[in-house]
């Protein structure tokens, strides 16, 4: 009798464990497709601005991108199943105290989005325009303080939103040597 009770306990415990344990790795889609896009970032580059001016930058890329080792372009939308990609930028201001540039947080009310969207964490979302098959973003920063600044795109990689049924897509942005990763500018009254 004790053996039967122990055997029932083991069977019930096994059933409980398999029903309550986390899913195995096959359940979660860990696939990521890595692509590259070149010179998709455009910055309205001026060296001097006045308080109240707006600095604009945009990043646009095709829904169809070349994939290493393939003869036809990859349909990014069809592959990822998402209509937006995320990327970030940094805003730095020169500090005489540290004799270096320091990161600046930008309040949402000073960020404009003519295309795509942006949030307080300086995350930009390019959104697929179905009429042109282009992922688009055009963002403005209203400059409200005097100083020397840098706009930093040194680590520009785009990521697709999460879709559990499709692979993720990461897009590395490649910039030609003649285009800056850091834009230096001054804001005055």
């Amino acid at each position: 009798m004790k053996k039967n009770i122990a055997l029932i306990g083991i069977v019930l415990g096994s059933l409980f464990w398999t029903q309550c344990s986390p899913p195995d790795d096959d359940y979660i889609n860990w696939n990521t497709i890595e692509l590259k896009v070149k010179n998709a970032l455009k910055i309205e580059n001026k060296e001097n601005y006045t308080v109240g001016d707006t600095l604009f930058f945009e990043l646009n890329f095709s829904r169809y991108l070349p994939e290493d080792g393939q003869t036809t372009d990859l349909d990014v939308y069809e592959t990822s199943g998402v209509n937006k990609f995320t990327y970030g930028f940094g805003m730095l201001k020169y500090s005489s105290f540290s004799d270096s540039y320091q990161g600046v947080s930008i309040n949402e009310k000073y960020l404009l989005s003519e295309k795509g969207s942006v949030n307080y964490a300086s995350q930009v979302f390019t959104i697929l325009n179905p009429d042109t098959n282009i992922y688009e973003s055009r963002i403005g920063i209203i400059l409200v303080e005097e100083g020397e600044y840098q706009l930093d795109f040194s680590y520009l990689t785009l990521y697709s939103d999460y879709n559990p049924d499709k692979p993720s897509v990461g897009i590395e942005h490649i910039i030609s040597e003649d285009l800056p990763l850091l834009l230096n500018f001054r804001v005055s009254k």
Side-chain angles (χ1 to χ4, degrees):
M1 180 72 171
K2 288 182 183 179
K3 286 183 181 181
N4 288 341
I5 292 175
L7 185 58
I8 291 172
I10 290 171
V11 170
L12 288 175
S14 298
L15 287 172
F16 177 76
W17 175 254
T18 58
Q19 294 301 314
C20 295
S21 64
D24 54 45
D25 284 345
D26 292 338
Y27 177 76
I28 299 171
N29 189 347
W30 295 104
N31 294 329
T32 300
I33 297 170
E34 299 293 332
L35 302 172
K36 294 179 182 168
V37 65
K38 189 170 184 176
N39 297 330
L41 176 68
K42 305 285 186 250
I43 305 170
E44 291 183 9
N45 189 357
K46 290 180 13 181
E47 291 182 20
N48 295 298
Y49 291 88
T50 303
V51 169
D53 286 348
T54 303
L55 182 155
F56 283 96
F57 62 89
E58 59 185 272
L59 194 147
N60 304 313
F61 63 93
S62 174
R63 169 182 172 171
Y64 305 98
L65 294 176
E67 184 179 14
D68 287 343
Q70 302 297 319
T71 56
T72 59
D73 289 347
L74 179 74
D75 183 336
V76 175
Y77 176 73
E78 193 66 36
T79 301
S80 67
V82 298
N83 68 347
K84 64 181 173 178
F85 280 77
T86 306
Y87 68 96
F89 67 93
M91 180 78 133
L92 303 116
K93 183 177 183 182
Y94 182 77
S95 168
S96 296
F97 287 113
S98 65
D99 193 27
S100 65
Y101 286 90
Q102 305 294 317
V104 175
S105 295
I106 304 171
N107 188 305
E108 277 183 275
K109 67 183 177 184
Y110 300 117
L111 297 170
L112 307 173
S113 56
E114 290 185 351
K115 295 179 184 176
S117 62
V118 66
N119 68 16
Y120 67 93
S122 299
Q123 288 181 305
V124 180
F125 303 93
T126 62
I127 298 176
L128 179 63
N129 180 335
D131 297 330
T132 63
N133 286 323
I134 301 288
Y135 284 87
E136 302 174 330
S137 67
R138 179 172 163 78
I139 304 303
I141 303 169
I142 301 170
L143 304 170
V144 295
E145 289 181 11
E146 292 180 80
E148 294 179 40
Y149 291 89
Q150 284 184 338
L151 190 57
D152 185 1
F153 291 99
S154 297
Y155 305 103
L156 186 53
T157 301
L158 299 108
Y159 298 99
S160 63
D161 279 355
Y162 176 72
N163 181 339
D165 300 324
K166 301 271 188 165
S168 296
V169 175
I171 303 172
E172 179 185 0
H173 185 266
I174 308 296
I175 298 178
S176 297
E177 291 179 19
D178 59 335
L179 295 174
L181 296 172
L182 292 171
L183 171 66
N184 293 314
F185 61 95
R186 177 183 295 274
V187 179
S188 56
K189 283 192 175 188

